[in-house]
Amino acid sequence: MLYARRNAGCRGGGGTLSTFTLELLSAAEQQQIGGVASFVGEDASGSFGILAGHERAITVLLFGLARFRQVDSDWQYLALPGGLLYFVDNHLKICTRHYLIDSDYERISETLQRQLVAEERELTKMKESLRRMEESVLRRLWELGRPGSE
C-alpha cells in the first residue's frame, strides 16, 4: 500500500541514499531521528515500507512492532500500542500514546508482551468495575421504581 516510488531512494546519479526524518510524539515525550533510510510498519491492510521520496501517506498503525533503519546502522525496533502515521515531504510523523525503541528484537518483544499482558489485565479490571457500577445503578433504579420506596 505505502511503498516508495521507483528509484525514489537515490539522489541524482551518485547513488547516495536519500533519507528522511522520523518524529515520534507521545503523551510523555517527543523524539526526532534524522537520517532514516527506511521504515517498516503494519496497518489493517498488512505490512508496508516507506523510503525517502515516498508520496504523502497517512494510516493507522496496529499494536505491535515497527522498525526503522538509519543509514549505515542496524534496524531499530519501535514498540507501540498503535498510532497515527503521517508521511509528507520526507518527514515521517508517528503519534501514539507511548513507545519504546530498542535494537534488540528479543528484548523489545518481551517488553511488548509484558505490556500487552499488563494492559489486558487493566482492561479486564476496568470492565469488571464498570459491570459492578452498572449493576449498582440498575439495582438502585429498580428499588426507586418499587411502590413505597420513596
Side-chain angles (χ1 to χ4, degrees):
M1 177 188 120
L2 299 177
Y3 292 95
R5 291 182 303 222
R6 183 182 198 114
N7 299 324
C10 292
R11 244 187 260 145
T16 304
L17 187 63
S18 293
T19 63
F20 57 92
T21 302
L22 170 60
E23 184 176 6
L24 299 167
L25 303 162
S26 76
E29 60 185 312
Q30 176 180 350
Q31 186 173 359
Q32 193 160 318
I33 302 164
V36 176
S38 62
F39 174 87
V40 177
E42 184 176 3
D43 64 8
S45 68
S47 293
F48 62 88
I50 293 178
L51 299 172
H54 193 286
E55 305 254 341
R56 179 183 302 213
I58 188 167
T59 191
V60 176
L61 295 171
L62 298 178
F63 183 102
L65 286 177
R67 61 186 175 153
F68 64 92
R69 186 177 56 78
Q70 291 173 286
V71 176
D72 297 328
S73 295
D74 292 332
W75 285 103
Q76 294 286 314
Y77 297 94
L78 175 64
L80 38 90
L84 181 66
L85 175 148
Y86 181 59
F87 186 86
V88 64
D89 297 330
N90 279 334
H91 187 90
L92 175 60
K93 186 179 287 192
I94 297 176
C95 301
T96 183
R97 288 191 323 252
H98 57 89
Y99 63 88
L100 299 168
I101 297 176
D102 199 324
S103 60
D104 185 310
Y105 177 80
E106 295 297 325
R107 184 172 48 226
I108 200 164
S109 293
E110 289 173 15
T111 302
L112 184 62
Q113 183 63 32
R114 281 194 307 271
Q115 283 188 351
L116 178 61
V117 169
E119 284 183 16
E120 195 63 36
R121 252 188 254 126
E122 287 300 314
L123 184 59
T124 301
K125 285 181 190 177
M126 188 182 340
K127 285 180 180 178
E128 181 61 26
S129 177
L130 287 172
R131 186 188 61 75
R132 284 194 305 264
M133 190 183 321
E134 184 180 60
E135 285 176 359
S136 176
V137 168
L138 290 174
R139 188 178 316 111
R140 182 69 180 137
L141 288 173
W142 180 76
E143 290 171 355
L144 288 173
R146 291 181 27 209
S149 62
E150 295 179 18

